[in-house]
Amino acid sequence: MSANPFGAGGLVLVGVYLAALLCVGVLAKRARQSESMRDFYLAGGGLGPGVLFFTLYATQYSGNSLLGYPGEAYRIGFAWVMSVGFMMAIVVMYLLIAPQLHRASRQMPLVTPGDWLDHRFKSPALSLVANLIAVVALSNYLLAQLMAMGHAVAGLSGNAVPYWAGVVGLTVVVLVYETIGGLRGVAWTDAVQGVLLLLGLGGVLVAVVPSPSHMQAVTEWIAEAAPEKVAVPDWSTCVNWASTLLLVGVSGSVYPQAIQRIYAARSSRTLERSISFMVFMPLVTMLPLLLVGIVSLQQLSGLEGIAADQVMPMMLTRWASSSAWLYVASLAVMLAVIAAIMSTADSVLLTLSSILAKDLMGKSILKGAADEQLTRAGKLAAWIVVGLLVGVAVVPRITLWGLTELKMELLLQISPLFILGIHWKRLTAAAGLAGMATGLVVALVLPTTPWTRPLGLHDGIVGWLLNLLVCVAVSRWSTARAHDTAHMSRPGAGSLREPSGLA
Amino acid sequence: MSRQVQRPTRSERSRGSPSLRSAWAVYAVLFGLSVPWYLPKGVGPMWLGLPYWVVMSLGAYLGVALLTALVVRRFWPDKGDVGSETLGATAGPRARGEPR
């Protein structure tokens, strides 16, 4: 096998692709209608059904999916079919929040998830803690994408391009088209990347499973060599499966970048159509990735830990050198891998920039600043954060799935603010804050104790359950106390004001 | 004056059908069935080249996807109070049988 299995053709294709992304960024800049934050971060709230669907799709399926998930299938076997379920659970959970958040975005100028929290709870402390959690989770997510860039470029070039060069090179391209194009640029490039992703995964499916009999031969081989990866999962794996469905389903639905896309939908009907299609995408996206991991068990042996995250690039390089047809299919997948990583990185970066600018700097050092100034500050903050994260990414210490779980367990703790906040008017700011703090402490402290993962549940899930409990208990207690106080001060005045008024 | 025969609206037609709450119960059942906790341990038969329990899980997830498409089509709200509405509680014109 040559050092670069895709040869000059692969490099030219990647170069053309990256240049095309930059051109799309320039076109998006020309399409800008104003210098407002809403125009830059939400494309003016005018994303149509096609672009919205592809940007949701390309954002949800990331470098973690394309590199980390085949790696996880390699590590745990067929039980990784759970990935189809948890990606679907995210879309199901959208049903609880998407219609309401979209409608709210039509009634008031929402740009960040924190804007809705400000409106709903009117509590600076609660918004600050939630925004800090979002910033940490998004930074973690971005870090995973940067690491995935390095893994992809190094793996796909047969290490001809070193890991660090992959991280730095692709990051600069993302930064440039995101800085000039805003969400419009990101969403348009996501549409290109989403199409590539679908085509590439079609190629993967054909490459991996030319026929059911081929798949059967692979499964029978694994049943002999590693029966635990084919057998019905044991009880602890089943508990982990259920826990992961809940963890990813709930936390994935409150991804800040997903909430911004909900705001950015042109209409309710646009959003409805996109969600209807999105729910089927795990079947056509996660299944091929699962099968890549499974097939690689037979073809690549001895990979452990972080090394298993290289399964996808290693398989692609094998396919590329096996036949002309598979070379073309592998090229499509290679571009899809890069596309998936970049499309998620750009979305996360843009959202991170908006939260830093509007929710953190806009309420402190840049209080009262004009939209243009905040937008510029957000772009600068994005470059600084990325610079710091690139420094961490060049020395990977954790698996991509490990990073994903960490992010999910943090984001999970802000989900009650949205889900309960929308559906239960009695949820108070104090209760939300107390619940979030409880959940966060449990999720962070439990892993350091001997009682980590009780009953096989994720520590974040344990924290989340306590979070919900505290939210309900404190809300009930505080409204009952307010009720008593109202009765004592104004006898006969029995009606309570809702703790937080909604539009 | 001729009397127009009024066709039942979509929401009237759906009154006798399972409610949104039932849909959430079906979600719970489908997700519950997708996890093979109830199957005997060990390597079983293969369907379509895959372990049978993997095909069963995928079947449950296909059910989730179809149910979601149905729920979105039937219960997607179009207007109403931002805070108090739940999916289906404040149904939009389509759920009320009105043209959009």
Side-chain angles (χ1 to χ4, degrees), chain A residues 334-354:
Chain A
M334 177 193 70
L335 272 191
V337 169
I338 295 173
I341 298 166
M342 295 179 76
S343 61
T344 303
D346 60 20
S347 305
V348 173
L349 184 59
L350 192 70
T351 300
L352 191 57
S353 155
S354 69

PDB file of all heavy atoms in Angstrom, chain A residues 334-354:
ATOM      1  N   MET A 334     -14.387   9.444   1.876  1.00  0.00           N
ATOM      2  CA  MET A 334     -13.341  10.269   2.483  1.00  0.00           C
ATOM      3  C   MET A 334     -13.800  11.724   2.557  1.00  0.00           C
ATOM      4  O   MET A 334     -13.668  12.384   3.595  1.00  0.00           O
ATOM      5  CB  MET A 334     -12.057  10.171   1.648  1.00  0.00           C
ATOM      6  CG  MET A 334     -10.941  11.048   2.176  1.00  0.00           C
ATOM      7  SD  MET A 334      -9.574  11.222   1.025  1.00  0.00           S
ATOM      8  CE  MET A 334     -10.285  12.211  -0.250  1.00  0.00           C
ATOM      9  N   LEU A 335     -14.379  12.210   1.457  1.00  0.00           N
ATOM     10  CA  LEU A 335     -14.888  13.587   1.472  1.00  0.00           C
ATOM     11  C   LEU A 335     -16.031  13.714   2.481  1.00  0.00           C
ATOM     12  O   LEU A 335     -16.164  14.723   3.166  1.00  0.00           O
ATOM     13  CB  LEU A 335     -15.395  13.977   0.085  1.00  0.00           C
ATOM     14  CG  LEU A 335     -14.368  14.574  -0.869  1.00  0.00           C
ATOM     15  CD1 LEU A 335     -15.072  15.145  -2.083  1.00  0.00           C
ATOM     16  CD2 LEU A 335     -13.539  15.664  -0.209  1.00  0.00           C
ATOM     17  N   ALA A 336     -16.862  12.654   2.557  1.00  0.00           N
ATOM     18  CA  ALA A 336     -17.984  12.688   3.503  1.00  0.00           C
ATOM     19  C   ALA A 336     -17.483  12.770   4.941  1.00  0.00           C
ATOM     20  O   ALA A 336     -18.053  13.475   5.773  1.00  0.00           O
ATOM     21  CB  ALA A 336     -18.864  11.451   3.326  1.00  0.00           C
ATOM     22  N   VAL A 337     -16.418  12.045   5.224  1.00  0.00           N
ATOM     23  CA  VAL A 337     -15.843  12.081   6.576  1.00  0.00           C
ATOM     24  C   VAL A 337     -15.395  13.507   6.908  1.00  0.00           C
ATOM     25  O   VAL A 337     -15.731  14.069   7.956  1.00  0.00           O
ATOM     26  CB  VAL A 337     -14.653  11.102   6.691  1.00  0.00           C
ATOM     27  CG1 VAL A 337     -13.898  11.324   7.994  1.00  0.00           C
ATOM     28  CG2 VAL A 337     -15.134   9.662   6.619  1.00  0.00           C
ATOM     29  N   ILE A 338     -14.646  14.083   5.970  1.00  0.00           N
ATOM     30  CA  ILE A 338     -14.163  15.456   6.203  1.00  0.00           C
ATOM     31  C   ILE A 338     -15.345  16.417   6.298  1.00  0.00           C
ATOM     32  O   ILE A 338     -15.384  17.313   7.144  1.00  0.00           O
ATOM     33  CB  ILE A 338     -13.184  15.861   5.081  1.00  0.00           C
ATOM     34  CG1 ILE A 338     -11.928  14.979   5.164  1.00  0.00           C
ATOM     35  CG2 ILE A 338     -12.802  17.326   5.180  1.00  0.00           C
ATOM     36  CD1 ILE A 338     -10.964  15.146   4.024  1.00  0.00           C
ATOM     37  N   ALA A 339     -16.350  16.191   5.415  1.00  0.00           N
ATOM     38  CA  ALA A 339     -17.532  17.064   5.419  1.00  0.00           C
ATOM     39  C   ALA A 339     -18.271  17.001   6.750  1.00  0.00           C
ATOM     40  O   ALA A 339     -18.686  18.025   7.305  1.00  0.00           O
ATOM     41  CB  ALA A 339     -18.476  16.652   4.289  1.00  0.00           C
ATOM     42  N   ALA A 340     -18.427  15.779   7.264  1.00  0.00           N
ATOM     43  CA  ALA A 340     -19.176  15.607   8.512  1.00  0.00           C
ATOM     44  C   ALA A 340     -18.474  16.328   9.660  1.00  0.00           C
ATOM     45  O   ALA A 340     -19.100  16.982  10.494  1.00  0.00           O
ATOM     46  CB  ALA A 340     -19.324  14.128   8.838  1.00  0.00           C
ATOM     47  N   ILE A 341     -17.177  16.201   9.680  1.00  0.00           N
ATOM     48  CA  ILE A 341     -16.417  16.836  10.758  1.00  0.00           C
ATOM     49  C   ILE A 341     -16.507  18.354  10.648  1.00  0.00           C
ATOM     50  O   ILE A 341     -16.805  19.063  11.623  1.00  0.00           O
ATOM     51  CB  ILE A 341     -14.935  16.405  10.697  1.00  0.00           C
ATOM     52  CG1 ILE A 341     -14.813  14.899  10.888  1.00  0.00           C
ATOM     53  CG2 ILE A 341     -14.123  17.132  11.749  1.00  0.00           C
ATOM     54  CD1 ILE A 341     -13.453  14.345  10.524  1.00  0.00           C
ATOM     55  N   MET A 342     -16.283  18.855   9.425  1.00  0.00           N
ATOM     56  CA  MET A 342     -16.262  20.311   9.256  1.00  0.00           C
ATOM     57  C   MET A 342     -17.634  20.924   9.477  1.00  0.00           C
ATOM     58  O   MET A 342     -17.762  22.012  10.033  1.00  0.00           O
ATOM     59  CB  MET A 342     -15.726  20.666   7.873  1.00  0.00           C
ATOM     60  CG  MET A 342     -14.269  20.269   7.698  1.00  0.00           C
ATOM     61  SD  MET A 342     -13.610  20.654   6.088  1.00  0.00           S
ATOM     62  CE  MET A 342     -13.382  22.419   6.210  1.00  0.00           C
ATOM     63  N   SER A 343     -18.679  20.207   9.053  1.00  0.00           N
ATOM     64  CA  SER A 343     -20.025  20.781   9.188  1.00  0.00           C
ATOM     65  C   SER A 343     -20.422  20.886  10.646  1.00  0.00           C
ATOM     66  O   SER A 343     -21.164  21.795  11.028  1.00  0.00           O
ATOM     67  CB  SER A 343     -21.037  19.944   8.417  1.00  0.00           C
ATOM     68  OG  SER A 343     -21.077  18.636   8.938  1.00  0.00           O
ATOM     69  N   THR A 344     -19.966  19.976  11.458  1.00  0.00           N
ATOM     70  CA  THR A 344     -20.286  20.071  12.881  1.00  0.00           C
ATOM     71  C   THR A 344     -19.401  21.105  13.556  1.00  0.00           C
ATOM     72  O   THR A 344     -19.862  21.910  14.367  1.00  0.00           O
ATOM     73  CB  THR A 344     -20.131  18.702  13.559  1.00  0.00           C
ATOM     74  OG1 THR A 344     -20.974  17.788  12.873  1.00  0.00           O
ATOM     75  CG2 THR A 344     -20.547  18.757  15.016  1.00  0.00           C
ATOM     76  N   ALA A 345     -18.134  21.109  13.181  1.00  0.00           N
ATOM     77  CA  ALA A 345     -17.209  22.074  13.788  1.00  0.00           C
ATOM     78  C   ALA A 345     -17.673  23.500  13.522  1.00  0.00           C
ATOM     79  O   ALA A 345     -17.685  24.341  14.430  1.00  0.00           O
ATOM     80  CB  ALA A 345     -15.805  21.852  13.241  1.00  0.00           C
ATOM     81  N   ASP A 346     -18.100  23.785  12.271  1.00  0.00           N
ATOM     82  CA  ASP A 346     -18.508  25.159  11.959  1.00  0.00           C
ATOM     83  C   ASP A 346     -19.761  25.549  12.750  1.00  0.00           C
ATOM     84  O   ASP A 346     -19.865  26.665  13.260  1.00  0.00           O
ATOM     85  CB  ASP A 346     -18.675  25.369  10.445  1.00  0.00           C
ATOM     86  CG  ASP A 346     -19.717  24.480   9.791  1.00  0.00           C
ATOM     87  OD1 ASP A 346     -20.574  23.964  10.505  1.00  0.00           O
ATOM     88  OD2 ASP A 346     -19.668  24.316   8.558  1.00  0.00           O
ATOM     89  N   SER A 347     -20.694  24.615  12.870  1.00  0.00           N
ATOM     90  CA  SER A 347     -21.943  24.932  13.595  1.00  0.00           C
ATOM     91  C   SER A 347     -21.660  25.174  15.078  1.00  0.00           C
ATOM     92  O   SER A 347     -22.182  26.116  15.678  1.00  0.00           O
ATOM     93  CB  SER A 347     -22.933  23.775  13.465  1.00  0.00           C
ATOM     94  OG  SER A 347     -23.142  23.480  12.115  1.00  0.00           O
ATOM     95  N   VAL A 348     -20.848  24.310  15.655  1.00  0.00           N
ATOM     96  CA  VAL A 348     -20.530  24.439  17.080  1.00  0.00           C
ATOM     97  C   VAL A 348     -19.776  25.747  17.327  1.00  0.00           C
ATOM     98  O   VAL A 348     -20.062  26.484  18.276  1.00  0.00           O
ATOM     99  CB  VAL A 348     -19.687  23.233  17.554  1.00  0.00           C
ATOM    100  CG1 VAL A 348     -19.200  23.435  18.971  1.00  0.00           C
ATOM    101  CG2 VAL A 348     -20.509  21.958  17.470  1.00  0.00           C
ATOM    102  N   LEU A 349     -18.853  26.034  16.430  1.00  0.00           N
ATOM    103  CA  LEU A 349     -18.044  27.241  16.589  1.00  0.00           C
ATOM    104  C   LEU A 349     -18.913  28.496  16.502  1.00  0.00           C
ATOM    105  O   LEU A 349     -18.759  29.439  17.292  1.00  0.00           O
ATOM    106  CB  LEU A 349     -16.959  27.256  15.510  1.00  0.00           C
ATOM    107  CG  LEU A 349     -15.957  28.388  15.583  1.00  0.00           C
ATOM    108  CD1 LEU A 349     -15.224  28.369  16.912  1.00  0.00           C
ATOM    109  CD2 LEU A 349     -14.955  28.272  14.437  1.00  0.00           C
ATOM    110  N   LEU A 350     -19.836  28.495  15.564  1.00  0.00           N
ATOM    111  CA  LEU A 350     -20.701  29.675  15.393  1.00  0.00           C
ATOM    112  C   LEU A 350     -21.573  29.879  16.639  1.00  0.00           C
ATOM    113  O   LEU A 350     -21.753  31.001  17.120  1.00  0.00           O
ATOM    114  CB  LEU A 350     -21.574  29.489  14.151  1.00  0.00           C
ATOM    115  CG  LEU A 350     -22.313  30.740  13.685  1.00  0.00           C
ATOM    116  CD1 LEU A 350     -21.331  31.746  13.110  1.00  0.00           C
ATOM    117  CD2 LEU A 350     -23.357  30.398  12.636  1.00  0.00           C
ATOM    118  N   THR A 351     -22.117  28.774  17.148  1.00  0.00           N
ATOM    119  CA  THR A 351     -22.966  28.876  18.333  1.00  0.00           C
ATOM    120  C   THR A 351     -22.144  29.331  19.544  1.00  0.00           C
ATOM    121  O   THR A 351     -22.581  30.171  20.336  1.00  0.00           O
ATOM    122  CB  THR A 351     -23.637  27.519  18.620  1.00  0.00           C
ATOM    123  OG1 THR A 351     -24.413  27.178  17.478  1.00  0.00           O
ATOM    124  CG2 THR A 351     -24.519  27.572  19.841  1.00  0.00           C
ATOM    125  N   LEU A 352     -20.959  28.766  19.657  1.00  0.00           N
ATOM    126  CA  LEU A 352     -20.071  29.155  20.755  1.00  0.00           C
ATOM    127  C   LEU A 352     -19.776  30.654  20.674  1.00  0.00           C
ATOM    128  O   LEU A 352     -19.836  31.380  21.686  1.00  0.00           O
ATOM    129  CB  LEU A 352     -18.781  28.342  20.641  1.00  0.00           C
ATOM    130  CG  LEU A 352     -17.806  28.362  21.794  1.00  0.00           C
ATOM    131  CD1 LEU A 352     -18.472  27.906  23.083  1.00  0.00           C
ATOM    132  CD2 LEU A 352     -16.615  27.447  21.498  1.00  0.00           C
ATOM    133  N   SER A 353     -19.497  31.111  19.476  1.00  0.00           N
ATOM    134  CA  SER A 353     -19.207  32.529  19.266  1.00  0.00           C
ATOM    135  C   SER A 353     -20.406  33.393  19.675  1.00  0.00           C
ATOM    136  O   SER A 353     -20.242  34.428  20.331  1.00  0.00           O
ATOM    137  CB  SER A 353     -18.848  32.727  17.786  1.00  0.00           C
ATOM    138  OG  SER A 353     -19.098  34.023  17.374  1.00  0.00           O
ATOM    139  N   SER A 354     -21.613  32.957  19.318  1.00  0.00           N
ATOM    140  CA  SER A 354     -22.806  33.759  19.642  1.00  0.00           C
ATOM    141  C   SER A 354     -23.048  33.813  21.146  1.00  0.00           C
ATOM    142  O   SER A 354     -23.424  34.852  21.690  1.00  0.00           O
ATOM    143  CB  SER A 354     -24.036  33.208  18.922  1.00  0.00           C
ATOM    144  OG  SER A 354     -24.403  31.954  19.449  1.00  0.00           O
TER     145      SER A 354
END
